[in-house]
Each structure stands twice: as structure tokens, then as C-alpha cells.
Amino acid sequence: MKAQKNLYRTNFSLITAFLVLITVTLIIAIFISYKLTSRYVENEFANKKTEVLEQTIKPYYDFFQIQIPEITSYQGFLDSASAANYSDTVFRTYRFVRKVLFYDIRIGSPTAEHPEGITVKDVYRFKPKRDGIVGVKEVSGADDEDFRQMALKLNTFIISADTSRVPTQDEIFRTFYNVTPDKISYLNIPRREDIRIYRALLRSKQSDNFGKQNMVTFTLDPQFLKVINTHKELYEDVTIQPVVYDPLDVAQEKVITEAGLPGAFSNFKLYFSSERSHVNKEIERRYLPIGAILLLIYFFLVLISYLIYRNLNINLKVFKLQYDFINNFTHEFKTPVSVIKIAGSNLKGDAELSERQRKHYGKILDEEADKLNELMNKLLSFTQLENRSINVKREEINLPGFVKGYIDTFKIKYPDFKLQSQVEVAKFNSDPVLMGSVFQNLMENAYKYSHPGKKELSITIKQDKRNIVFSFADKGIGMAKYEQGDVFKKFYRIENQYNQNGSVGLGLAFCKELVNYMGGAISLQSKLNQGSTFIITLPFES
């Protein structure tokens, strides 16, 4: 048995090591996964700003790519009224446009004052107001620097343009757009035949001939852009700030990043800021399912470890029970067989035996044969009980006489055994053989597991409603609470000085099977070194 005990310890140590390993692995996985999640969220904080920027600046691109080129569709024939309507549409749709300057341009022969041959007839200024727009005629627009730059680029384009092909997008942008901080100037794009006409006018000496062209300058204010924060889980606050904005009192608890605005808004930026607690909250939200999965895997592995441990423990206990059973059963058989062999050898020896010796050896043979027969009958009966192959032969039992008979027998067998009984039920219908087996086993146990001088047993029988209750109370060694659930198991033996020999662990298991077979139940109340009480409850049938 010592080898098996070591085996158990080895298995327990391996399982403990496995549990420690998966626990350490869980802690490391939790730490690493949290760090990776934290880094991932911080990277998103730095990268997802482009999505916010794209959504915020989208109206500007629509204005730049769709709304502004609509001016070309008028082919230079915009007037103050149509320019006002156009500006009204712009103000209503794009709040960041705060002022529109409309230039009515004429292209003719160059003069000393205007060597590029491009002059301004009228300039109109439009501004948004609550009740509409207002237009003001400007008389000094010809000196405007924006106009001078656009006029010079248009003059260069007219002179050098290849009218055999359509101008490229790069040529269009360089010639007909002028994008500066907070301002966009645009000239309507002339057709190729118009370019040839303008080229002829620039070379003409006649001052009364001219071509018409339109130019519009938009003054923008990025503060009127609507910030669309598509990632509120990352960015707590998104504002539009000047490029030079760099607050000195930024707390360490804040996380910040920024993204520059394009085109006419290039002197501004989107400024993203969040409290560290806000970012941590997002990290925890994303980490929660990862942590839950890790814990689920961990508990799954723990469950597997528990099942392995339980199976090993059960298998070891079964093996130990079988091992003990074989040892004890062998011992129980070996002793009577050895005694029988010795008695038989003496009987067949050459020496003549007296009548007294012959009777003595005969008695020994008879007693040892009875022991073997009893042991075999117990095993056979137990097997028959498990297979439900025993028939209960019910007959009326006179309980006072039944109990007295067993008490008298045990008093003869064990003179130091103090027995007393209290029988409150006169008659009971049951199988006397099965009941006798229960009585014999419980009384044997009471004597066997009691200290010398305290071998006492009190048998009580009484009726409880529709049941009859048998109580066997001794003052023996008792048993620990953790062992009380196992004593009715087959081959189980309590390890103590009274149970080293002469037991195969079938007595109480046999009693339980008998009681269950008769439709009853058996229970145990025991305290260590104070005694045990076995209580049997059977259905009462009169």
C-alpha cells in the first residue's frame, strides 16, 4: 500500500503543478492582453483622427469640387442678381463661407494702366444675414491683390494655352484657382474657342471690343465648420484651433493629438483631447470580452484538472479497496484453511488419537468450516442482493423474543458485552433471516469497535407513524465525520487499531443493501471516541 500512497502524492503534485502553471499563464495572459489592448486603443487614438477629419472636412471638399466649379456653367455671364442667388445658395449650404466677392471682368486690349488687358467692371460683396444676403457694389476692386494675381495667371494662360486640346486638371488648378489661408479665388474656365477670342482681343488695338469673364473670391472661417466626432469613445473633445495653438497647462491626465486642416483652412487644425480616465474606460470596455474568454478558458482547464484529480482519486480508492479486500479476504480464508490443514494432518497421522483428541480436532474442523461457510455465504448473499435475486419471505416476527434470542447468543459468545433493549413493538412482518443478518452484523460491529471495558450496546425498537425504527447505540470508538459517508461502501474499512484483521469491509455495506432491499433506509450518527448510533427505518406492515 505504501507504493500506492506515493503514487497518489505524485498525481496530486502533478495536478498542483498544472494548476500553478495555468494560473501563472492566466496572470501573464491577462497582463499581456491588457497591455496589447491598451496599446491598440492608444494607436487608434492617434490614427482614427483621420476619419473624424474626413467627416468634418467633407462639406469643404463638396464646396471646393462641386459648388465652386458651378460658376463655369455661366460662361462669364453672371450678373449681380444671379451672383446674389448663387451666393445665397452657398451661404445656406456652407456656413463656413462668410463673404463672397463677385468680380465682373472684361478682357480687351492692354493699356498702360492694365498691361495684362484684364480689368474689373464691377465688384459686388455678399455677406450672410439672418434675413438673407446683402450685396454692396465695390468701386476699388480693381486694386485688389487677389484680382491682380488671378489676372496675371489668366493673361499668361490665354497667351500660352494650347487650344488644340482640353487643359489638364493641373493646368486648371494652377490657373483658375488661388487658394490661400481663409480664402479661395476662382475664375470661370473659358472654352477653347473663347481662349482663341481672348487671345485675339489681347493682341487687338481696338479698345471698344472686350470679352466677359467672372471671378469669385470666397472668404472662409473654419470656426463655422461642424465637427463630426465619429469616435466619441476615443475623443472626448474635438475643437478647431489655430495651428500655433499649444496650451502650456495641459494636464498629464489628458491625452491629446491633432490633425491639420487642408486647403484654405491650412492655418487651422483639429485638436483632439480626452481625459486619461476616458481612454482607460474604452480600454477596459474592449478588454472585458478578452478577459472573460481568458477566465473561461482558465476555469475550463481547472474543471478538467478537477475531473482528472477526481478520477485518479476514485480509481485509487477503488484500487485500495480491492487491494484491502484481497488482503483481508485472503487472510480470512488463510487462517481457517491453515487450522483445518493442521487438524487434518493430526487426524491422518500415524499416532493414535484418544477419543477426546479426536472430538477436539473434529470441533476445530467444524468451527473453521463454519467460518469459511459464513464468509462465502456473505459474499454470495451480497452478490444476490446486488442482482436482486433474493426473495423476501415475509412472516410475522415476535420482536421481543427475536431480540432476546440475539442478546442471549451474544452474551454467551461475548461475556463482557453489556446488552440492553427496549422494544415498544410486539409484532412485525418481515424476513427473519434478513433481519437476523442485519442484527448480527450491527451487534458484531458494536462489540468489535469498542474499547475494552466499554463494550455496550442499547437496542431500541419503536413505531414512528407508518414506519418502524430500529436503533443500535453503542459507546465505541465512533468515527470522524468525513468517514461517515463511506462506511456503507463496499470494501471500505476505517483505519484503526481495531480493524487490522478479520474484516473485508462488507458488513455495513451488506446491512445497507439488506435494508434497501426490504424497502427501508439506514443512517448513522457518530462522534469520535463517544460512540455510534445506527438507525434503521423500515415500513411497518401489520
Side-chain angles (χ1 to χ4, degrees):
M1 292 306 298
K2 187 175 181 180
Q4 296 306 317
K5 191 173 181 180
N6 291 336
L7 175 65
Y8 175 78
R9 289 177 178 174
T10 302
N11 291 331
F12 183 77
S13 300
L14 287 174
I15 294 170
T16 303
F18 178 71
L19 288 175
V20 171
L21 176 63
I22 63 174
T23 302
V24 172
T25 303
L26 172 69
I27 295 171
I28 295 174
I30 287 175
F31 177 77
I32 293 176
S33 59
Y34 185 84
K35 284 294 184 182
L36 291 176
T37 304
S38 176
R39 185 173 298 178
Y40 181 78
V41 171
E42 289 174 357
N43 288 340
E44 278 202 344
F45 187 89
N47 297 329
K48 290 295 183 179
K49 62 185 179 183
T50 56
E51 295 183 14
V52 178
L53 175 64
E54 288 173 0
Q55 293 299 318
T56 301
I57 208 68
K58 187 175 182 298
Y60 169 77
Y61 286 130
D62 291 342
F63 169 71
F64 188 84
Q65 297 171 0
I66 299 174
Q67 190 67 43
I68 292 178
E70 283 186 7
I71 297 172
T72 297
S73 63
Y74 292 93
Q75 289 300 316
F77 292 98
L78 268 175
D79 55 19
S80 59
S82 55
N85 291 333
Y86 173 82
S87 300
D88 180 62
T89 302
V90 170
F91 292 141
R92 291 178 186 276
T93 308
Y94 307 101
R95 293 183 63 249
F96 54 84
V97 180
R98 309 309 300 165
K99 183 173 70 174
V100 176
L101 288 178
F102 168 64
Y103 294 81
D104 187 5
I105 299 174
R106 291 186 174 181
I107 301 174
S109 58
T111 62
E113 186 178 357
H114 301 286
E116 61 276 352
I118 301 173
T119 59
V120 177
K121 177 185 177 185
D122 294 306
V123 179
Y124 295 90
R125 183 179 64 189
F126 303 98
K127 287 185 176 181
K129 284 194 173 182
R130 292 182 180 179
D131 55 351
I133 59 172
V134 60
V136 179
K137 184 175 181 180
E138 298 285 347
V139 295
S140 59
D143 297 326
D144 185 82
E145 184 61 28
D146 292 328
F147 168 74
R148 290 183 180 276
Q149 291 180 12
M150 296 298 288
L152 181 61
K153 291 198 292 183
L154 179 61
N155 177 271
T156 304
F157 181 78
I158 292 172
I159 294 173
S160 60
D162 183 1
T163 57
S164 63
R165 62 177 177 84
V166 177
T168 64
Q169 289 297 321
D170 184 60
E171 291 172 335
I172 289 174
F173 182 78
R174 285 188 287 105
T175 302
F176 301 99
Y177 287 89
N178 188 30
V179 181
T180 58
D182 302 329
K183 192 180 292 185
I184 299 176
S185 296
Y186 179 79
L187 277 167
N188 70 275
I189 304 170
R191 294 169 297 188
R192 285 181 287 178
E193 53 269 24
D194 292 334
I195 294 173
R196 287 192 288 267
I197 293 171
Y198 294 158
R199 187 180 295 168
L201 288 173
L202 290 175
R203 294 172 181 173
S204 173
K205 301 298 183 181
Q206 297 179 5
S207 59
D208 54 344
N209 291 331
F210 57 88
K212 295 189 66 177
Q213 189 76 356
N214 298 137
M215 173 180 160
V216 180
T217 298
F218 303 91
T219 302
L220 313 179
D221 187 351
Q223 297 295 344
F224 286 88
L225 273 173
K226 182 180 179 182
V227 176
I228 301 176
N229 187 0
T230 56
H231 291 283
K232 293 182 180 180
E233 74 282 0
L234 296 173
Y235 309 114
E236 197 172 12
D237 186 35
V238 183
T239 57
I240 297 175
Q241 302 291 348
V243 172
V244 295
Y245 177 75
D246 188 17
L248 299 178
D249 58 343
V250 177
Q252 292 183 353
E253 292 78 14
K254 280 198 172 185
V255 184
I256 61 172
T257 187
E258 54 190 40
L261 295 175
F265 300 146
S266 58
N267 56 339
F268 286 84
K269 64 184 178 183
L270 285 181
Y271 187 79
F272 302 82
S273 65
S274 293
E275 295 290 339
R276 171 57 67 178
S277 59
H278 182 79
V279 178
N280 290 340
K281 186 177 180 181
E282 177 62 15
I283 293 173
E284 291 169 2
R285 185 187 70 84
R286 298 194 185 189
Y287 178 72
L288 186 61
I290 299 174
I293 291 173
L294 289 176
L295 287 176
L296 185 63
I297 295 172
Y298 175 76
F299 286 123
F300 178 73
L301 293 175
V302 169
L303 177 61
I304 292 176
S305 302
Y306 168 74
L307 292 176
I308 293 173
Y309 168 76
R310 189 189 68 173
N311 289 338
L312 287 173
N313 198 23
I314 291 173
N315 290 337
L316 187 64
K317 285 182 178 179
V318 170
F319 178 79
K320 186 177 182 298
L321 288 173
Q322 292 174 344
Y323 186 83
D324 288 345
F325 169 72
I326 293 170
N327 274 350
N328 295 324
F329 196 74
T330 302
H331 176 79
E332 289 297 302
F333 267 93
K334 187 176 181 179
T335 301
V337 168
S338 298
V339 173
I340 290 171
K341 186 173 180 60
I342 293 171
S345 296
N346 290 332
L347 284 173
K348 73 176 183 178
D350 295 333
E352 291 187 6
L353 300 175
S354 65
E355 184 65 20
R356 182 182 175 185
Q357 288 176 324
R358 186 180 60 79
K359 288 183 178 181
H360 175 68
Y361 289 132
K363 184 181 177 182
I364 291 175
L365 289 171
D366 188 57
E367 287 177 353
E368 297 304 322
D370 286 343
K371 287 182 181 179
L372 289 174
N373 186 56
E374 183 183 352
L375 188 58
M376 294 301 298
N377 286 337
K378 186 178 287 188
L379 285 173
L380 180 61
S381 298
F382 198 92
T383 304
Q384 289 175 335
L385 280 172
E386 288 185 326
N387 296 329
R388 300 294 176 180
S389 59
I390 292 180
N391 294 323
V392 178
K393 298 178 181 179
R394 295 189 181 277
E395 59 182 71
E396 188 176 86
I397 302 174
N398 185 330
L399 287 176
F402 182 82
V403 174
K404 186 178 182 303
Y406 276 95
I407 289 177
D408 292 342
T409 300
F410 271 83
K411 281 183 177 179
I412 295 172
K413 187 176 181 180
Y414 305 117
D416 59 336
F417 198 9
K418 296 180 182 180
L419 294 162
Q420 60 181 358
S421 65
Q422 181 182 352
V423 182
E424 300 178 2
V425 182
K427 295 181 180 181
F428 175 61
N429 287 338
S430 185
D431 190 320
V433 176
L434 299 185
M435 285 298 301
S437 296
V438 173
F439 268 71
Q440 186 171 351
N441 276 283
L442 293 179
M443 293 174 76
E444 285 280 0
N445 271 5
Y447 182 84
K448 184 177 181 180
Y449 295 103
S450 294
H451 297 292
K454 285 189 178 181
K455 296 184 181 295
E456 301 177 17
L457 176 65
S458 176
I459 302 174
T460 304
I461 304 175
K462 61 183 179 180
Q463 186 174 351
D464 181 18
K465 296 180 181 180
R466 303 184 63 180
N467 296 320
I468 184 168
V469 180
F470 298 81
S471 177
F472 297 80
D474 63 50
K475 294 183 180 180
I477 63 174
M479 63 189 75
K481 192 171 183 179
Y482 69 89
E483 290 186 305
Q484 294 177 22
D486 295 325
V487 292
F488 294 108
K489 293 180 179 179
K490 189 166 53 175
F491 307 133
Y492 184 83
R493 297 193 315 149
I494 297 174
E495 298 295 336
N496 56 59
Q497 59 180 332
Y498 300 95
N499 201 19
Q500 296 304 311
N501 296 307
S503 175
V504 291
L506 286 176
L508 290 178
F510 186 58
C511 287
K512 181 177 176 63
E513 287 293 329
L514 285 172
V515 172
N516 290 342
Y517 194 68
M518 290 188 290
I522 185 171
S523 60
L524 168 65
Q525 297 174 358
S526 182
K527 290 186 178 179
L528 197 61
N529 295 320
Q530 294 184 25
S532 302
T533 301
F534 290 89
I535 301 170
I536 297 171
T537 305
L538 293 173
F540 185 79
E541 294 181 15
S542 56

